[in-house]
Amino acid sequence: MLDLKFIRDNFEKVQQAVTNRRDGIDLSQFTTLDEERRGYLSQVEKMKAQRNAVSLEIAQIKKNKGDAQQKITEMRDVGTQIKTLDDKVRQVEDALFQIQARIPNIPHASVPVGASEEDNVSEKTWGEIPILDFEPKPHWEIAEKLNLIDFEGGAKVAGSSFVTFTGKGAKLARALINFMLDLHIEKHGYTEISPPFVVNRQTMFGTGQLPKFEEDLYHSQLDDLFLIPTAEVPVTNLLADRMLKAEEMPILYTAYTPCFRREAGAYGKDTKGLMRLHQFDKVEMVKFVDPETSWAEHEKLLKDAEDVLQALKLPYRVLNLCTADIGFSAAKCYDLEVWSVGVDRWLEVSSCSNFEAFQSRRANIRFRREKGAKPEFVHTLNSSGLALPRTIIAILENYQQADGSVKVPEVLQGFLGTDILK
RNA sequence: GGAGAGGUGGCUGAGCGGCUGAAAGCGGCACCCUGCUAAGGUGUUAUACUGGUAACGGUAUCGAGGGUUCGAAUCCCUCCCUCUCCGCCA
């Protein structure tokens, strides 16, 4: 969320950002509402000041055993007027907030302006695309043949786009989770968090999923609780309403969680195999940093995510997402895409974003630069490190052998207890 | 699910319906004193919105939302959360 005063003072800039993002939000009411709000506010505050003053007088008069009836009657009227004006203020503020809460973050200057994902800029590629001397199979065929995944079982117990990992497939997922967590904890200095997989409305607001994207979330009406679409949500909000000390930052958290997404509007897309699921596993990294350092931390975060792919020896590229493609809350976002020979395309396995103060303002995560200084909002960042299903796709497809077996990436062999899946 | 206790500033913790934005302590900051170590003294120290170039004002905020009242941290109602005990269950 952007600061109200910032929007007021930089209205053109905000409008430009909205346009560049191809975000449909209509800002035309903002200025009117903002001015209306301040108008009512100054009116009602004057009346409250008067009421406060007269109330003191009444107290004095009563203390001296005088008759305050006249003033009390006057103030009774003022009180009623205050009540009506307060209602108006609230109404206007609600309307204003509806707009404010839906305004996306301002893209950083280094974000390419673009109209669609076509305009994302490839910053680098790493690794060699494997050349197979046989016709590569897609992962769903490999997985089914090796009994790693039960696609029908998932569909039966839950519905389409839910899968069940079985046997070595389940263990491969667990191996990946352990490998990634250990890497981030031991090599990259993150602290492991195992958060709730279910969160309340306020928490979803804090990271920006609400109010705009409610239809993408699984929701329990009875409790007004939501299944998390990413660990970013509970982990970032873990520090909501906190006042951090400058010296405790940066705070680095990593967490494994399942992620639940309704994928509304994506029906019929990527229905084969593991490409797009309603539930998937992911290891996430979250950072809370001093605003001065957040862009450097963003690059380091990207590196931490890349390390996973490099360790797995999977070829990938880094995209700098253009204005039309970055997420609502992000000021800048790199996507990591792995190449997979079976499906013959790039697959997104990580988004690495800097949110600057956009989330911390919503979740009220602050710090003091030094003792006695004014509180400021921290900057938050996060990156997948990585999402499992597409990583598994890439492993199965890129490591497949002519005989139908799959070699296990070296770094996973210890976790999986074997060097070949067959 | 049943019974009880409680939610106040960066933290701990007081607070008869009116001079309480909120005692006290801790912590922080500034200064002073102290010839060592340790300590001691004085002052100062919330946030947001809003008006103003500024100086400086105004308003709000004691879990949330309503209500009573001229006036609510303080009284009433509803809800949320935390803790303790009991029951049930991984």
Side-chain angles (χ1 to χ4, degrees):
Chain A
M1 191 162 64
L2 300 176
D3 178 59
L4 202 62
K5 269 183 283 198
F6 177 88
I7 303 171
R8 186 149 68 220
D9 298 339
N10 300 274
F11 194 75
E12 291 303 315
K13 195 174 172 181
V14 174
Q15 181 61 66
Q16 188 60 52
V18 168
T19 308
N20 287 346
R21 279 174 167 274
R22 313 278 153 149
D23 187 302
I25 187 166
D26 176 12
L27 298 182
S28 60
Q29 290 303 301
F30 179 87
T31 307
T32 322
L33 286 169
D34 182 50
E35 277 163 12
E36 234 179 293
R37 166 171 176 269
R38 283 182 291 161
Y40 285 134
L41 222 45
S42 88
Q43 270 185 62
V44 75
E45 286 186 355
K46 264 180 209 141
M47 296 176 91
K48 284 179 177 174
Q50 187 201 357
R51 180 179 70 183
N52 287 345
V54 175
S55 285
L56 275 183
E57 288 173 32
I58 292 172
Q60 283 303 318
I61 294 170
K62 287 202 158 181
K63 210 174 183 181
N64 300 328
K65 310 275 186 218
D67 177 17
Q69 200 46 50
Q70 169 80 29
K71 285 179 189 294
I72 289 178
T73 315
E74 272 174 44
M75 284 307 103
R76 197 170 290 158
D77 271 357
V78 173
T80 334
Q81 292 179 55
I82 288 175
K83 211 161 275 181
T84 11
L85 272 174
D86 266 343
D87 279 348
K88 283 191 176 164
V89 169
R90 179 191 290 255
Q91 250 179 338
V92 173
E93 284 189 339
D94 281 353
L96 199 58
F97 182 75
Q98 287 310 312
I99 298 174
Q100 188 189 8
R102 286 176 165 78
I103 295 177
N105 204 353
I106 310 267
H108 188 255
S110 62
V111 173
V113 176
S116 77
E117 59 178 27
E118 303 289 308
D119 297 317
N120 295 337
V121 173
S122 177
E123 300 262 322
K124 76 184 257 195
T125 58
W126 183 93
E128 304 276 319
I129 291 170
I131 313 218
L132 307 182
D133 51 9
F134 56 93
E135 185 62 28
K137 292 205 229 14
H139 63 281
W140 55 87
E141 285 180 21
I142 301 168
E144 221 138 42
K145 183 109 180 281
L146 299 176
N147 292 316
L148 303 176
I149 297 170
D150 179 0
F151 289 102
E152 278 156 35
K156 179 166 62 189
V157 300
S160 69
S161 290
F162 287 93
V163 302
T164 299
F165 289 88
T166 57
K168 287 285 181 196
K171 190 160 182 181
L172 174 63
R174 190 152 51 87
L176 274 165
I177 292 164
N178 285 331
F179 159 67
M180 291 179 194
L181 282 176
D182 285 355
L183 179 71
H184 298 317
I185 295 162
E186 285 156 22
K187 298 265 167 55
H188 299 151
Y190 291 75
T191 302
E192 183 174 359
I193 301 288
S194 181
F197 302 160
V198 168
V199 299
N200 58 33
R201 194 166 276 280
Q202 177 61 41
T203 299
M204 279 297 181
F205 178 81
T207 27
Q209 279 72 24
L210 293 181
K212 260 196 88 174
F213 307 104
E214 183 151 3
E215 73 277 9
D216 293 326
L217 302 168
Y218 287 101
H219 178 232
S220 162
Q221 208 154 31
L222 229 47
D223 306 290
D224 199 24
L225 292 172
F226 298 85
L227 292 181
I228 58 169
T230 157
E232 157 194 356
V233 176
V235 174
T236 305
N237 283 282
L238 217 49
L239 299 190
D241 297 316
R242 281 278 303 276
M243 181 71 74
L244 303 173
K245 296 185 183 104
E247 61 268 23
E248 16 178 2
M249 296 194 294
I251 294 174
L252 312 183
Y253 287 153
T254 184
Y256 153 73
T257 70
C259 301
F260 303 90
R261 301 184 180 179
R262 292 191 62 240
E263 299 290 346
Y267 295 118
K269 228 175 131 186
D270 301 332
T271 50
K272 266 292 199 189
L274 299 178
M275 309 265 261
R276 186 176 298 275
L277 303 174
H278 288 313
Q279 176 188 328
F280 61 94
D281 291 316
K282 180 158 64 66
V283 170
E284 186 78 5
M285 296 171 273
V286 179
K287 291 187 175 190
F288 306 83
V289 310
D290 182 316
E292 243 80 82
T293 65
S294 78
W295 291 106
E297 292 285 355
H298 188 222
E299 297 298 321
K300 277 169 73 181
L301 182 60
L302 174 65
K303 183 76 180 53
D304 291 342
E306 286 185 58
D307 275 357
V308 179
L309 286 166
Q310 293 186 8
L312 292 169
K313 297 195 164 73
L314 294 172
Y316 67 90
R317 66 175 180 178
V318 179
L319 295 182
N320 182 4
L321 297 195
C322 76
T323 50
D325 211 24
I326 51 173
F328 174 75
S329 303
K332 182 174 184 176
C333 177
Y334 293 117
D335 269 7
L336 289 180
E337 296 189 332
V338 67
W339 182 266
S340 200
V341 296
V343 291
D344 197 35
R345 56 184 266 199
W346 296 104
L347 299 170
E348 180 191 335
V349 287
S350 176
S351 283
C352 176
S353 308
N354 185 357
F355 303 97
E356 297 188 300
F358 193 87
Q359 293 183 327
S360 58
R361 188 173 291 112
R362 288 175 164 246
N364 190 32
I365 310 171
R366 299 179 298 170
F367 80 109
R368 286 187 209 278
R369 208 166 275 284
E370 57 203 45
K371 282 131 203 181
K374 272 211 154 295
E376 292 176 58
F377 292 110
V378 307
H379 280 192
T380 62
L381 304 92
N382 67 52
S383 172
S384 339
L386 308 166
L388 283 241
R390 294 174 187 162
T391 305
I392 291 173
I393 292 175
I395 290 172
L396 296 182
E397 295 185 356
N398 291 349
Y399 280 87
Q400 63 181 303
Q401 307 295 301
D403 65 359
S405 69
V406 173
K407 283 208 294 198
V408 175
E410 230 175 284
V411 290
L412 292 182
Q413 291 174 5
F415 292 96
L416 199 53
T418 177
D419 59 0
I420 190 100
L421 296 169
K422 56 182 180 190

